[in-house]
PDB file of all heavy atoms in Angstrom:
ATOM      1  N   ILE A   7       1.119   8.943  -2.353  1.00 42.00           N
ATOM      2  CA  ILE A   7       0.468   9.889  -3.258  1.00 42.00           C
ATOM      3  C   ILE A   7      -0.671  10.601  -2.537  1.00 42.00           C
ATOM      4  O   ILE A   7      -0.813  11.805  -2.635  1.00 42.00           O
ATOM      5  CB  ILE A   7      -0.048   9.146  -4.514  1.00 42.00           C
ATOM      6  CG1 ILE A   7       1.135   8.684  -5.348  1.00 42.00           C
ATOM      7  CG2 ILE A   7      -0.937  10.060  -5.337  1.00 42.00           C
ATOM      8  CD1 ILE A   7       0.791   7.758  -6.466  1.00 42.00           C
ATOM      9  N   ALA A  10       0.542  13.346  -0.373  1.00 38.00           N
ATOM     10  CA  ALA A  10       1.450  14.297  -1.007  1.00 38.00           C
ATOM     11  C   ALA A  10       0.990  15.720  -0.688  1.00 38.00           C
ATOM     12  O   ALA A  10      -0.169  15.943  -0.359  1.00 38.00           O
ATOM     13  CB  ALA A  10       1.453  14.085  -2.513  1.00 38.00           C
ATOM     14  N   PRO A  11       1.912  16.696  -0.761  1.00 40.00           N
ATOM     15  CA  PRO A  11       1.522  18.061  -0.414  1.00 40.00           C
ATOM     16  C   PRO A  11       0.350  18.532  -1.243  1.00 40.00           C
ATOM     17  O   PRO A  11       0.192  18.127  -2.384  1.00 40.00           O
ATOM     18  CB  PRO A  11       2.785  18.873  -0.721  1.00 40.00           C
ATOM     19  CG  PRO A  11       3.684  17.972  -1.480  1.00 40.00           C
ATOM     20  CD  PRO A  11       3.304  16.587  -1.147  1.00 40.00           C
ATOM     21  N   PRO A  12      -0.489  19.383  -0.655  1.00 44.00           N
ATOM     22  CA  PRO A  12      -1.683  19.836  -1.340  1.00 44.00           C
ATOM     23  C   PRO A  12      -1.371  20.566  -2.640  1.00 44.00           C
ATOM     24  O   PRO A  12      -0.242  20.985  -2.857  1.00 44.00           O
ATOM     25  CB  PRO A  12      -2.335  20.787  -0.337  1.00 44.00           C
ATOM     26  CG  PRO A  12      -1.421  20.922   0.794  1.00 44.00           C
ATOM     27  CD  PRO A  12      -0.341  19.937   0.679  1.00 44.00           C
ATOM     28  N   GLY A  13      -2.376  20.701  -3.467  1.00 49.00           N
ATOM     29  CA  GLY A  13      -2.204  21.426  -4.713  1.00 49.00           C
ATOM     30  C   GLY A  13      -1.822  20.498  -5.830  1.00 49.00           C
ATOM     31  O   GLY A  13      -2.422  19.458  -6.006  1.00 49.00           O
ATOM     32  N   ARG A  14      -0.780  20.865  -6.570  1.00 58.00           N
ATOM     33  CA  ARG A  14      -0.498  20.120  -7.786  1.00 58.00           C
ATOM     34  C   ARG A  14       0.449  18.963  -7.584  1.00 58.00           C
ATOM     35  O   ARG A  14       0.710  18.220  -8.505  1.00 58.00           O
ATOM     36  CB  ARG A  14       0.085  21.075  -8.820  1.00 58.00           C
ATOM     37  CG  ARG A  14      -0.986  22.029  -9.311  1.00 58.00           C
ATOM     38  CD  ARG A  14      -0.348  23.149 -10.031  1.00 58.00           C
ATOM     39  NE  ARG A  14      -1.347  24.136 -10.417  1.00 58.00           N
ATOM     40  CZ  ARG A  14      -1.036  25.242 -11.052  1.00 58.00           C
ATOM     41  NH1 ARG A  14       0.210  25.484 -11.377  1.00 58.00           N
ATOM     42  NH2 ARG A  14      -1.961  26.102 -11.372  1.00 58.00           N
ATOM     43  N   GLY A  15       1.039  18.817  -6.383  1.00 71.00           N
ATOM     44  CA  GLY A  15       2.036  17.790  -6.153  1.00 71.00           C
ATOM     45  C   GLY A  15       1.551  16.410  -6.544  1.00 71.00           C
ATOM     46  O   GLY A  15       2.207  15.702  -7.313  1.00 71.00           O
ATOM     47  N   ALA A  16       0.374  16.022  -6.046  1.00 76.00           N
ATOM     48  CA  ALA A  16      -0.142  14.687  -6.299  1.00 76.00           C
ATOM     49  C   ALA A  16      -0.449  14.498  -7.784  1.00 76.00           C
ATOM     50  O   ALA A  16      -0.103  13.474  -8.369  1.00 76.00           O
ATOM     51  CB  ALA A  16      -1.400  14.451  -5.475  1.00 76.00           C
ATOM     52  N   ASP A  17      -1.061  15.500  -8.394  1.00 81.00           N
ATOM     53  CA  ASP A  17      -1.377  15.400  -9.811  1.00 81.00           C
ATOM     54  C   ASP A  17      -0.110  15.319 -10.651  1.00 81.00           C
ATOM     55  O   ASP A  17      -0.061  14.614 -11.660  1.00 81.00           O
ATOM     56  CB  ASP A  17      -2.213  16.600 -10.260  1.00 81.00           C
ATOM     57  CG  ASP A  17      -3.694  16.388  -9.950  1.00 81.00           C
ATOM     58  OD1 ASP A  17      -4.023  15.297  -9.466  1.00 81.00           O
ATOM     59  OD2 ASP A  17      -4.489  17.309 -10.190  1.00 81.00           O
ATOM     60  N   PHE A  18       0.926  16.028 -10.213  1.00 87.00           N
ATOM     61  CA  PHE A  18       2.193  15.997 -10.939  1.00 87.00           C
ATOM     62  C   PHE A  18       2.781  14.591 -10.905  1.00 87.00           C
ATOM     63  O   PHE A  18       3.181  14.046 -11.938  1.00 87.00           O
ATOM     64  CB  PHE A  18       3.162  17.008 -10.302  1.00 87.00           C
ATOM     65  CG  PHE A  18       4.456  17.153 -11.039  1.00 87.00           C
ATOM     66  CD1 PHE A  18       4.492  17.785 -12.274  1.00 87.00           C
ATOM     67  CD2 PHE A  18       5.627  16.653 -10.495  1.00 87.00           C
ATOM     68  CE1 PHE A  18       5.686  17.918 -12.960  1.00 87.00           C
ATOM     69  CE2 PHE A  18       6.826  16.776 -11.182  1.00 87.00           C
ATOM     70  CZ  PHE A  18       6.855  17.411 -12.411  1.00 87.00           C
ATOM     71  N   ALA A  19       2.766  13.979  -9.716  1.00 89.00           N
ATOM     72  CA  ALA A  19       3.287  12.615  -9.591  1.00 89.00           C
ATOM     73  C   ALA A  19       2.482  11.653 -10.459  1.00 89.00           C
ATOM     74  O   ALA A  19       3.044  10.776 -11.122  1.00 89.00           O
ATOM     75  CB  ALA A  19       3.240  12.182  -8.127  1.00 89.00           C
ATOM     76  N   ARG A  20       1.157  11.821 -10.467  1.00 90.00           N
ATOM     77  CA  ARG A  20       0.322  10.936 -11.290  1.00 90.00           C
ATOM     78  C   ARG A  20       0.612  11.143 -12.765  1.00 90.00           C
ATOM     79  O   ARG A  20       0.633  10.190 -13.544  1.00 90.00           O
ATOM     80  CB  ARG A  20      -1.160  11.209 -11.007  1.00 90.00           C
ATOM     81  CG  ARG A  20      -1.603  10.806  -9.620  1.00 90.00           C
ATOM     82  CD  ARG A  20      -3.068  11.147  -9.443  1.00 90.00           C
ATOM     83  NE  ARG A  20      -3.513  10.855  -8.084  1.00 90.00           N
ATOM     84  CZ  ARG A  20      -4.120  11.735  -7.301  1.00 90.00           C
ATOM     85  NH1 ARG A  20      -4.369  12.957  -7.745  1.00 90.00           N
ATOM     86  NH2 ARG A  20      -4.494  11.409  -6.085  1.00 90.00           N
ATOM     87  N   GLY A  21       0.842  12.384 -13.151  1.00 92.00           N
ATOM     88  CA  GLY A  21       1.149  12.678 -14.549  1.00 92.00           C
ATOM     89  C   GLY A  21       2.454  12.035 -14.987  1.00 92.00           C
ATOM     90  O   GLY A  21       2.545  11.448 -16.065  1.00 92.00           O
ATOM     91  N   ILE A  22       3.479  12.119 -14.125  1.00 92.00           N
ATOM     92  CA  ILE A  22       4.767  11.491 -14.426  1.00 92.00           C
ATOM     93  C   ILE A  22       4.585   9.987 -14.572  1.00 92.00           C
ATOM     94  O   ILE A  22       5.081   9.363 -15.522  1.00 92.00           O
ATOM     95  CB  ILE A  22       5.784  11.782 -13.291  1.00 92.00           C
ATOM     96  CG1 ILE A  22       6.106  13.281 -13.223  1.00 92.00           C
ATOM     97  CG2 ILE A  22       7.049  10.958 -13.484  1.00 92.00           C
ATOM     98  CD1 ILE A  22       7.007  13.765 -14.315  1.00 92.00           C
ATOM     99  N   GLY A  23       3.840   9.400 -13.641  1.00 92.00           N
ATOM    100  CA  GLY A  23       3.597   7.957 -13.683  1.00 92.00           C
ATOM    101  C   GLY A  23       2.921   7.541 -14.988  1.00 92.00           C
ATOM    102  O   GLY A  23       3.286   6.535 -15.602  1.00 92.00           O
ATOM    103  N   LEU A  24       1.958   8.346 -15.428  1.00 93.00           N
ATOM    104  CA  LEU A  24       1.236   8.046 -16.664  1.00 93.00           C
ATOM    105  C   LEU A  24       2.190   8.131 -17.861  1.00 93.00           C
ATOM    106  O   LEU A  24       2.174   7.267 -18.749  1.00 93.00           O
ATOM    107  CB  LEU A  24       0.074   9.025 -16.842  1.00 93.00           C
ATOM    108  CG  LEU A  24      -0.837   8.793 -18.044  1.00 93.00           C
ATOM    109  CD1 LEU A  24      -1.502   7.426 -17.952  1.00 93.00           C
ATOM    110  CD2 LEU A  24      -1.892   9.889 -18.143  1.00 93.00           C
ATOM    111  N   VAL A 285      -3.397   5.228  -8.173  1.00 90.00           N
ATOM    112  CA  VAL A 285      -3.710   6.657  -8.273  1.00 90.00           C
ATOM    113  C   VAL A 285      -4.876   7.111  -7.409  1.00 90.00           C
ATOM    114  O   VAL A 285      -5.199   8.303  -7.416  1.00 90.00           O
ATOM    115  CB  VAL A 285      -3.995   7.076  -9.735  1.00 90.00           C
ATOM    116  CG1 VAL A 285      -2.772   6.883 -10.576  1.00 90.00           C
ATOM    117  CG2 VAL A 285      -5.177   6.334 -10.309  1.00 90.00           C
ATOM    118  N   ASP A 288      -9.942   8.716  -8.029  1.00 90.00           N
ATOM    119  CA  ASP A 288     -10.377   9.665  -9.048  1.00 90.00           C
ATOM    120  C   ASP A 288     -10.411   8.974 -10.418  1.00 90.00           C
ATOM    121  O   ASP A 288      -9.367   8.610 -10.968  1.00 90.00           O
ATOM    122  CB  ASP A 288      -9.421  10.856  -9.079  1.00 90.00           C
ATOM    123  CG  ASP A 288      -9.947  11.980  -9.954  1.00 90.00           C
ATOM    124  OD1 ASP A 288     -10.741  11.695 -10.879  1.00 90.00           O
ATOM    125  OD2 ASP A 288      -9.569  13.133  -9.714  1.00 90.00           O
ATOM    126  N   ARG A 290     -10.862  10.054 -13.306  1.00 92.00           N
ATOM    127  CA  ARG A 290     -10.138  10.699 -14.415  1.00 92.00           C
ATOM    128  C   ARG A 290      -8.769  10.040 -14.566  1.00 92.00           C
ATOM    129  O   ARG A 290      -8.312   9.754 -15.665  1.00 92.00           O
ATOM    130  CB  ARG A 290      -9.973  12.189 -14.138  1.00 92.00           C
ATOM    131  CG  ARG A 290     -11.268  12.961 -14.232  1.00 92.00           C
ATOM    132  CD  ARG A 290     -11.061  14.382 -13.831  1.00 92.00           C
ATOM    133  NE  ARG A 290     -10.489  14.465 -12.480  1.00 92.00           N
ATOM    134  CZ  ARG A 290      -9.956  15.552 -11.973  1.00 92.00           C
ATOM    135  NH1 ARG A 290      -9.873  16.651 -12.682  1.00 92.00           N
ATOM    136  NH2 ARG A 290      -9.492  15.550 -10.751  1.00 92.00           N
ATOM    137  N   TRP A 291      -8.127   9.772 -13.427  1.00 94.00           N
ATOM    138  CA  TRP A 291      -6.816   9.124 -13.478  1.00 94.00           C
ATOM    139  C   TRP A 291      -6.949   7.626 -13.686  1.00 94.00           C
ATOM    140  O   TRP A 291      -6.131   7.012 -14.366  1.00 94.00           O
ATOM    141  CB  TRP A 291      -6.037   9.419 -12.193  1.00 94.00           C
ATOM    142  CG  TRP A 291      -5.551  10.832 -12.120  1.00 94.00           C
ATOM    143  CD1 TRP A 291      -6.046  11.833 -11.347  1.00 94.00           C
ATOM    144  CD2 TRP A 291      -4.488  11.416 -12.886  1.00 94.00           C
ATOM    145  NE1 TRP A 291      -5.358  12.995 -11.567  1.00 94.00           N
ATOM    146  CE2 TRP A 291      -4.397  12.775 -12.500  1.00 94.00           C
ATOM    147  CE3 TRP A 291      -3.601  10.916 -13.839  1.00 94.00           C
ATOM    148  CZ2 TRP A 291      -3.453  13.644 -13.049  1.00 94.00           C
ATOM    149  CZ3 TRP A 291      -2.659  11.779 -14.383  1.00 94.00           C
ATOM    150  CH2 TRP A 291      -2.590  13.123 -13.986  1.00 94.00           C
ATOM    151  N   TYR A 295      -4.979   5.767 -16.632  1.00 96.00           N
ATOM    152  CA  TYR A 295      -3.992   4.723 -16.343  1.00 96.00           C
ATOM    153  C   TYR A 295      -4.427   3.362 -16.894  1.00 96.00           C
ATOM    154  O   TYR A 295      -3.594   2.537 -17.234  1.00 96.00           O
ATOM    155  CB  TYR A 295      -3.773   4.595 -14.825  1.00 96.00           C
ATOM    156  CG  TYR A 295      -2.637   5.423 -14.287  1.00 96.00           C
ATOM    157  CD1 TYR A 295      -2.715   6.810 -14.269  1.00 96.00           C
ATOM    158  CD2 TYR A 295      -1.472   4.831 -13.793  1.00 96.00           C
ATOM    159  CE1 TYR A 295      -1.681   7.582 -13.768  1.00 96.00           C
ATOM    160  CE2 TYR A 295      -0.431   5.598 -13.291  1.00 96.00           C
ATOM    161  CZ  TYR A 295      -0.541   6.973 -13.284  1.00 96.00           C
ATOM    162  OH  TYR A 295       0.488   7.719 -12.791  1.00 96.00           O
TER     163      TYR A 295
ATOM    164  N   ARG B 101      -9.996  17.547  -0.654  1.00 93.00           N
ATOM    165  CA  ARG B 101      -9.818  18.500  -1.754  1.00 93.00           C
ATOM    166  C   ARG B 101     -10.552  18.029  -3.012  1.00 93.00           C
ATOM    167  O   ARG B 101     -11.257  18.804  -3.664  1.00 93.00           O
ATOM    168  CB  ARG B 101      -8.312  18.641  -2.054  1.00 93.00           C
ATOM    169  CG  ARG B 101      -7.988  19.563  -3.202  1.00 93.00           C
ATOM    170  CD  ARG B 101      -6.475  19.638  -3.421  1.00 93.00           C
ATOM    171  NE  ARG B 101      -5.874  18.315  -3.500  1.00 93.00           N
ATOM    172  CZ  ARG B 101      -4.957  17.867  -2.661  1.00 93.00           C
ATOM    173  NH1 ARG B 101      -4.532  18.615  -1.696  1.00 93.00           N
ATOM    174  NH2 ARG B 101      -4.463  16.647  -2.801  1.00 93.00           N
ATOM    175  N   ASP B 102     -10.410  16.741  -3.338  1.00 92.00           N
ATOM    176  CA  ASP B 102     -11.064  16.224  -4.548  1.00 92.00           C
ATOM    177  C   ASP B 102     -12.576  16.229  -4.408  1.00 92.00           C
ATOM    178  O   ASP B 102     -13.295  16.472  -5.380  1.00 92.00           O
ATOM    179  CB  ASP B 102     -10.569  14.807  -4.862  1.00 92.00           C
ATOM    180  CG  ASP B 102      -9.153  14.816  -5.420  1.00 92.00           C
ATOM    181  OD1 ASP B 102      -8.648  15.919  -5.719  1.00 92.00           O
ATOM    182  OD2 ASP B 102      -8.553  13.731  -5.546  1.00 92.00           O
ATOM    183  N   TRP B 118      -9.569  23.543 -15.239  1.00 85.00           N
ATOM    184  CA  TRP B 118      -9.631  23.978 -13.851  1.00 85.00           C
ATOM    185  C   TRP B 118      -8.941  25.334 -13.749  1.00 85.00           C
ATOM    186  O   TRP B 118      -7.789  25.477 -14.137  1.00 85.00           O
ATOM    187  CB  TRP B 118      -8.918  22.934 -13.010  1.00 85.00           C
ATOM    188  CG  TRP B 118      -8.974  23.131 -11.542  1.00 85.00           C
ATOM    189  CD1 TRP B 118      -7.931  23.462 -10.728  1.00 85.00           C
ATOM    190  CD2 TRP B 118     -10.101  22.955 -10.695  1.00 85.00           C
ATOM    191  NE1 TRP B 118      -8.360  23.515  -9.434  1.00 85.00           N
ATOM    192  CE2 TRP B 118      -9.684  23.211  -9.376  1.00 85.00           C
ATOM    193  CE3 TRP B 118     -11.441  22.612 -10.923  1.00 85.00           C
ATOM    194  CZ2 TRP B 118     -10.544  23.145  -8.295  1.00 85.00           C
ATOM    195  CZ3 TRP B 118     -12.296  22.547  -9.843  1.00 85.00           C
ATOM    196  CH2 TRP B 118     -11.852  22.804  -8.543  1.00 85.00           C
TER     197      TRP B 118
END
Side-chain angles (χ1 to χ4, degrees):
Chain A
I7 291 170
R14 290 166 185 179
D17 277 356
F18 185 71
R20 292 179 184 127
I22 295 285
L24 184 61
V285 296
D288 189 335
R290 289 175 304 166
W291 288 106
Y295 267 68
Chain B
R101 178 180 50 241
D102 286 351
W118 185 249

